[in-house]
Amino acid sequence: MKKIYSIVLLQCCTLAVYAQKIDSTSMLQSRLFVTDSAAYTFYNFAKNKSFFTATMPDGFNTLSIGHQLTKGRFMPYQESSKTNDTQFATEGKTTLSGVALWGSLAYHKIKEDSTRWAHQTRNNPTAPMYFGSGRNVNYERAIYQFNAMAQRNMMGNNLPLALGIDYRIGDHFSTNDPRAKLGDYQFNMQASLGYRLSKGLTLGLGARYGYGEEGTDVAYKNKQNENNTTQMDYITHIINGYGDPIPIEINRVFRNEQSRKGMDAYLTYESPRFGTLAWSGTYLQETQNFINRFPDKKNGQFYNDYDLTTYHFELVWKKKLDTYQLLLLANYDNLDGQDFSYAVMANNYLYNREQWGIKAVLSKAGKTSFNYVIELKKDGEERQDGLRGNLVAYNAIKPGLGFGFSKQLPGNQSFGVNVKGIFSKNIDDQFIVPVISQGTFTKTVIYHDYLYNTADYFSGSFQADYNFPSYKQIQTGIKLGLTYNEAIQFKRLDRELLAHPGNQRFSMSLSLNFYF
C-alpha cells in the first residue's frame, strides 16, 4: 500500500513540475494577475474543479514561503490559544500538446500551544468521537497536500474530458502528557465529461471517489500521570457525541476508516456581450467507521459509524465593463451528519452546518489598479446529542466591505494595500442543555462555544505587499498581513461557567512570494 502511495505522490509532483514550466514573458503578468481581484477570484473558483482546468490562465506560476502567528482567546474552546504555522506552497498552470495541466504542492509545519479537550487532526471537525483531556497540551503538526488536474478537449473541442486527484498526509503529536500521536491520509479522485451544446454553452457531469484514514493513540511518558486521580486533567476521556465524556483507562487507540463517493454537475456559458458564467454543483456521501484497535467487553470492536452528506453549489459571473471588470459570486453549502453509536445501538449524534454567501468584486486595471469588494454571508451550525438531551445551534449574518489598490512603480516594481472589514451579528440560536447533564466538559467546552458562536464581533484585516524583479527578472514580493477580531457583545448564560471566551484574536503573517 505504501508503494502505491509513493507512486501517486510521484505522479502528483511530476504533474506539478510540468504545470509550472517557466516562461520568462509571463513573470510580470503572473504578479499582475494576483492584483486583479475579479480575475483571481474566478481562478480560485476553478481551483480543484477539474472541469474548469482549461479556463485557468496559462503561465500563472507562484511559489510562496511564509509564517503566520495567531493568538488570543476569542476562539472555540478546543482551538489553540497560540499557533505558529510555517508554510511552503507552489502552484502553476500550463497547456502541453492540447492538455491543460494544473498542479499544486503545499506543506505546513504547525506548533500549537494550550490545546485542551481535543486530540484531533483538525481535518474532521464534525466527528462525533475523539479522545480528549482537560490538561493543556502542546501540539506539533506536519501536513502535506498534493493536487493535480488535467483536461483535454476532444472531438473538435466539443467533448472536454478532465481528471483530478488530491492527496493529503498529516502527522500530529502532542509534546507533553497526555501524549497523543495522530496520523491521517486522504486520497480523492474526480473525473468529468462535458459536451458543447452551442458555441458558448457547455454542460458536464462528473464523479468523485475517495478514501482515507485517521489513527489516534494516546499514551503517557510519565506513568504516574496515567491514572492520576488527584489531578483529573491528566485523565483521557472518550468524547462520543456532544456531551460529557467518560474516562478510558487502557487501550486508548482507535482508527477512523473513511470512504466517500459523489457526483458533480457543471455549466459554462460565454459570449462577448454577456461575459462568462460558470456553475458547479456537488453531492458527496461519506462514511466513517470508528474502530477499536483493542476490542473489549465494554467497548466492543466498533465505537461509531458516521455518515456525512454534503451539498455544495457555486455560481460565478464575470464581465468586462470598459476599464472595469465585474465579478459576482454566490455559493451554498450544507453538511449533514448522523452517527450510529454501538454503545446504545442507535443514532445519538446529529450535526448540521449551513452556509451561503454572495460577493461582488469590481476591479479597475491601470498604472494604479483598484479593487472594491462587498459581500454578505450567513453561517449556521447545529449539534444534537440524543442520549444527554443536548441541542445547541446558532445562525449569524456577516456583511463585509473591502478595498485595495496596487500602484506600479518604475523598474517593474509595485506596492499594494488591501483592507477589509466584516461584522458578525447573531440572528438566531438554540440552547437546550439539561442541568443534570452539566459536567466538566459541558461547563467548559459546550458553554464556552455557545457564547463564542453567538457573540457579535468585528473582524478587520490589512494586507500590504511590495514587489520587485529579482534573479532573471522573476517577480518577487514581500507580503505582510494583519487580522484582528474583537467581540462586541456576548449573550448572557445563567449557568456555572468554568471558562469564558476572551475578547480578542490576532493574526500576523509574513511571506516571500515568487511569480514566474
Side-chain angles (χ1 to χ4, degrees), residues 434-467:
V435 176
I436 195 173
S437 297
Q438 58 176 1
T440 301
F441 183 88
T442 299
K443 294 176 183 178
T444 53
V445 178
I446 295 179
Y447 292 174
H448 176 284
D449 285 0
Y450 170 74
L451 294 174
Y452 167 77
N453 287 319
T454 58
D456 298 338
Y457 70 88
F458 170 78
S459 176
S461 63
F462 169 86
Q463 189 179 87
D465 62 272
Y466 169 65
N467 302 278

Side-chain angles (χ1 to χ4, degrees), residues 418-431:
N418 289 278
V419 294
K420 186 177 181 181
I422 297 174
F423 176 70
S424 179
K425 174 66 177 176
N426 179 56
I427 57 174
D428 179 41
D429 62 84
Q430 285 184 281
F431 182 81

Side-chain angles (χ1 to χ4, degrees), residues 31 406-409 412-416 465-468:
R31 193 259 298 165
S406 181
K407 182 175 180 59
Q408 303 302 311
L409 304 174
N412 284 337
Q413 301 178 81
S414 69
F415 172 74
D465 62 272
Y466 169 65
N467 302 278
F468 56 92

Side-chain angles (χ1 to χ4, degrees), residues 364-433:
K364 183 180 186 299
K367 289 285 186 180
T368 301
S369 61
F370 295 94
N371 295 297
Y372 308 88
V373 180
I374 182 170
E375 66 182 25
L376 180 65
K377 295 181 180 180
K378 181 263 183 185
D379 183 19
E381 184 181 60
E382 180 180 297
R383 295 178 188 261
Q384 294 187 55
D385 187 300
L387 186 63
R388 300 165 183 87
N390 295 342
L391 191 161
V392 182
Y394 73 91
N395 285 284
I397 201 80
K398 301 179 179 182
L401 291 171
F403 168 76
F405 73 88
S406 181
K407 182 175 180 59
Q408 303 302 311
L409 304 174
N412 284 337
Q413 301 178 81
S414 69
F415 172 74
V417 170
N418 289 278
V419 294
K420 186 177 181 181
I422 297 174
F423 176 70
S424 179
K425 174 66 177 176
N426 179 56
I427 57 174
D428 179 41
D429 62 84
Q430 285 184 281
F431 182 81
I432 302 173
V433 179

Side-chain angles (χ1 to χ4, degrees), residues 60-279:
F60 175 64
N61 306 288
T62 68
L63 185 150
S64 176
I65 302 170
H67 184 83
Q68 180 171 307
L69 167 67
T70 304
K71 63 184 301 185
R73 294 286 180 176
F74 182 60
M75 63 177 194
Y77 188 83
Q78 293 161 306
E79 281 285 347
S80 165
S81 60
K82 180 181 178 182
T83 302
N84 283 280
D85 183 358
T86 301
Q87 313 161 17
F88 167 86
T90 181
E91 63 185 70
K93 161 70 178 10
T94 192
T95 300
L96 298 175
S97 302
V99 180
L101 300 170
W102 178 86
S104 73
L105 166 67
Y107 167 75
H108 291 262
K109 180 63 176 178
I110 302 170
K111 293 187 177 182
E112 298 181 359
D113 290 345
S114 303
T115 295
R116 302 179 68 182
W117 286 113
H119 293 308
Q120 295 177 293
T121 65
R122 303 206 186 282
N123 191 47
N124 190 21
T126 76
M129 188 203 145
Y130 51 94
F131 291 154
S133 57
R135 188 167 188 261
N136 281 321
V137 294
N138 299 327
Y139 260 97
E140 294 190 13
R141 307 179 188 271
I143 300 171
Y144 307 82
Q145 182 78 47
F146 305 87
N147 301 83
M149 301 190 303
Q151 185 179 37
R152 182 179 179 85
N153 222 333
M154 303 179 294
M155 295 180 61
N157 291 333
N158 290 319
L159 200 69
L161 173 66
L163 300 171
I165 59 174
D166 68 76
Y167 188 46
R168 169 198 156 101
I169 305 173
D171 181 39
H172 323 254
F173 61 92
S174 55
T175 59
N176 56 312
D177 284 347
R179 296 171 187 264
K181 181 172 177 56
L182 303 93
D184 74 276
Y185 74 85
Q186 300 293 334
F187 180 64
N188 297 295
M189 299 175 286
Q190 56 175 302
S192 64
L193 183 65
Y195 185 74
R196 190 173 70 169
L197 296 177
S198 63
K199 184 177 180 180
L201 178 64
T202 302
L203 300 179
L205 291 174
R208 291 178 180 266
Y209 174 75
Y211 57 89
E213 183 176 304
E214 295 183 348
T216 303
D217 185 354
V218 179
Y220 294 79
K221 184 175 182 179
N222 186 344
K223 293 301 181 181
Q224 293 180 348
N225 295 330
E226 191 164 5
N227 296 297
N228 192 336
T229 57
T230 60
Q231 293 180 281
M232 296 299 294
D233 283 352
Y234 279 101
I235 303 300
T236 298
H237 296 71
I238 298 179
I239 296 94
N240 197 344
Y242 196 58
D244 282 305
I246 59 174
I248 179 168
E249 299 175 356
I250 60 173
N251 299 334
R252 294 171 291 268
V253 184
F254 77 89
R255 70 179 187 272
N256 177 6
E257 296 181 349
Q258 305 167 9
S259 63
R260 59 194 69 90
K261 56 185 178 181
M263 61 180 297
D264 301 320
Y266 302 101
L267 179 150
T268 62
Y269 177 75
E270 185 174 7
S271 73
R273 177 172 294 184
F274 179 78
T276 301
L277 178 76
W279 174 85

